[in-house]
Every structure is written in C-alpha cells, then in structure tokens.
Amino acid sequence: MAKDHVFDLAVVGAGPAGCAAAIWAAERGLSVLLVDRSKSPRVRPGECLHPGIEALFRDLGVLDQVLAKCQVRPLARTVFVGEERRVEYFGSDAEGPWRAFHLARAELDDILRDRAEHLGVTLRIHRSRLEPVVSGGRIKGIDLGGQMLRCAFVIDATGQSAWLTRALGRRPVAASPRMTAFFGYRCGRMFDEQMFLADAAGWQWVAQVSQDVVNWTSMHFGVHKAPHPPDVISSLSPCGISGGADVTWRMAPHVAGPSYFIVGDAALVTDPASGNGVLRAVMSGIKAASNARAAIAGQALETAAARDYEVWLRRWFVADVDRLVSMYDSLREDWQTPCVDSRVGRQSLPLLPSRSPLTSLAY
Ligand SMILES: Cc1cc2nc3c(=O)[nH]c(=O)nc-3n(C[C@H](O)[C@H](O)[C@H](O)COP(=O)(O)OP(=O)(O)OC[C@H]3O[C@@H](n4cnc5c(N)ncnc54)[C@H](O)[C@@H]3O)c2cc1C
C-alpha cells in the first residue's frame, strides 16, 4: 500500500453490511474508517434474521451480545396461502434445530458499531454530503466536506441511498415491476412468532420481534399507498413508527471496480419476501472486505478481486429472483414475470476459472 493512504479501507454506511466489512477487515489488521450520517442507529424494519447468520455473528465476535438482546428465536414460520396453512421449519443439523433471530435493528446495529470501534475502527459521523475523490479512473478516497481522506479501497454500504452508484452518475437496474413494502408495529403478543400470509393480491408478514412488540410488513401488487395492518393483529394497539420503502428488485450496474466495492442494499435490493436482506448485507460486507484485503496484500489482482465479487453477487441476485418468481407465479397467474435485465442477469453471468485464487477466499 502506498504511504499516502491514511486508511486501507474507507467504509461509508454503518449498517449491517458496512459494520461487517469494517469488523472483518479490522480483525485482520487493516486500518479502517467507517463513516455514517447518523450518530445512533435508527428504529427500522429488518428484524427477522435468517438462522444462517449465526455463524457470521460468531466470526465477527458478536454472537454473545446478539444472543443477550434476542428475546425471540423461532424454529419455524407459519405460512398461510389462501386456505392452506403449513408450518415451515428452518432446518436442523447435528447440533439441533436452526432458529431465526428476532431483534430490534437499532440494537443489532449498535452491537456491530461497538464491536468495530472496539477493534480500532475509526467511526466518523458526517451528516452532510460526502464525495468520492476520483482520479485516473480510481477512487482515491473520500471528501468529508473539504477534508480529504485517502484509502486503498472504498466500500459503499449506504443501503438504499446507493451513495456511490449515484455519485458516479449511474442508476440501479430494475428487474421487477415497481413494488412498495409497508411496515408498522403493534404492542402485544401473538401465538405464532412468524407468520407469512399470501394470496393473489400480495403478502403480509407478521413477527414477534420482542416479548411485547409485533412488527408487520406487507407488499401488495400495484399498491403504493399505506394499507391497513393485517387482520390477525387488529386487536393489538399501534406503537412505534410506520412507513414504506421501495423494494423493486434492482442491482447496481457495477458492484465493484478499481478501488471500490458496493455491498448490502446499496448493491442490490429484493423485496423482503426473500427473507435474507440482513444475511446478504453481512455476507457481502465480509466478501468485499476479504477481496479488498487480498488485493492490498498482493494475493490477487485488483481486477480479479472486483470480478470475483461481481460474479458472486450476481449469482446471489439471480438465485433470489428465481426463488421469488416461482413463489409469485404460484400466487397469481397474471404476475408479470420480471425481465432480468441483461446487464444484471443470467446472460451476462461470467464464470470464474476454477483455478482462480479468489474462489477459495471467504464465502
Ligand atoms: C419493510 C422492510 C422489511 C424488511 N424486513 C427484513 C427482515 O425481516 N429480515 C431481513 O433480513 N431483511 C429485511 N429487510 C431488508 C433489510 O432491512 C436490508 O436488506 C438491510 O437493512 C440492508 O443492510 P445495509 O447495511 O445494506 O443497509 P442499511 O441497513 O440501510 O444501512 C445503511 C447505513 O448507511 C447510512 N447511510 C446512508 N446513506 C449515507 C450517506 N450518504 N452517508 C453516510 N451514511 C449513510 C445509514 O445511516 C445506515 O446506517 C426489510 C426491508 C424492508 C424495506
């Protein structure tokens, strides 16, 4: 690394994706700057975490803290499709059944930020606009309102703000009709800890996120105004925030390039029915940090590190899209099967040669 780099990595966005990248890199001795525009993590949806995230929390050194905050860990979700009701277990292995993690996102984000700072990551709160410093086709650092901070790699983890894609004058490529998900909270306790209720109009998701708080999320085709909360929780009184988010399936046209990676929702979004947004955010943060480290250490060419990440993430996107299409196809006949844009989809999926040194890197 050249001497004038102040940091190995500058990570913008301290949600799950950015914190995972920062923690993974700091654990391996890289110097990391982590920048976020808000001082404290916000209350927000994204509180039902896939059981697969347990191994990642252990790797990142936060499993005990997460378990201490996690009041609800369901074994299964109850699915209602039309008149049919079924219980879907998450799975099991030699150590027992897999359990999801339900916990407040602000608490999870706090745990991850604390861990990053404990490892020596420099956390900066910067509320105003920040710019990538681009020179000779590379991102040399970030400009925090006149203060230029140099780094070997920038990781964009700004979630749906998609800071870097926009700053580079690009637009995410949509792969579905426009979709809006709405969410809110109710106080009280339900019988089933996770319920997914689907019909031809769309779906509703209800989850007990702590002992006495229930989150609901819904998506109805063609509906972009706040709906009524699901009937199953109508007896519970509203509490906390409510809102909506654009969950149109989309991916940035480039998620890696010379000196940068884009991770989490900043790289790609699918609607919450995919059930793995936070898992994907954490995994992509770790994968990007791992590939950046390989390039910094001279174990991989920078172009190969970027290419490997791009292929890995596109595969994930295509797999999620395939899974969602088959779910929606089973719900309604006239569902407009998404055309996966050629810049995003299968046609352009390049395969890495199996002997690539990057195929053995993290994930
Ligand atoms: C209604 C709804 C329900 C969902 N439910 C679930 C669920 O149950 N389970 C699940 O796994 N996923 C769920 N998701 C998806 C999940 O919330 C996201 O996939 C996840 O939050 C992505 O994490 P991230 O770190 O990429 O981004 P974020 O969590 O959005 O974090 C981005 C961070 O970047 C910061 N930031 C943004 N812009 C800037 C900027 N310009 N400068 C500096 N900092 C910036 C923000 O302050 C924030 O801290 C849901 C999504 C929605 C919309």
Side-chain angles (χ1 to χ4, degrees), residues 23 69 72 170 179 190 239 244 247 272 319 329 350 354:
I23 294 169
K69 290 284 182 190
V72 185
R170 300 171 181 159
M179 292 179 172
M190 313 185 301
C239 57
V247 293
D329 276 351
S354 57

Side-chain angles (χ1 to χ4, degrees), residues 12-18 35-38 42 44-49 105 113 126 130 157-161 163 181-183 205 217 245 247 263-266 272 275-279 281:
V12 184
V35 185
D36 201 285
R37 63 183 174 195
S38 30
R42 288 175 297 134
R44 51 183 311 170
E47 294 152 315
C48 302
L49 311 185
R105 270 296 303 279
R113 282 189 189 194
H126 183 77
L130 57 100
T158 55
Q160 294 213 8
S161 308
W163 161 73
F182 292 92
F183 64 91
W205 168 266
T217 304
V247 293
V263 300
D265 277 13
N276 63 12
V278 174
L279 175 74

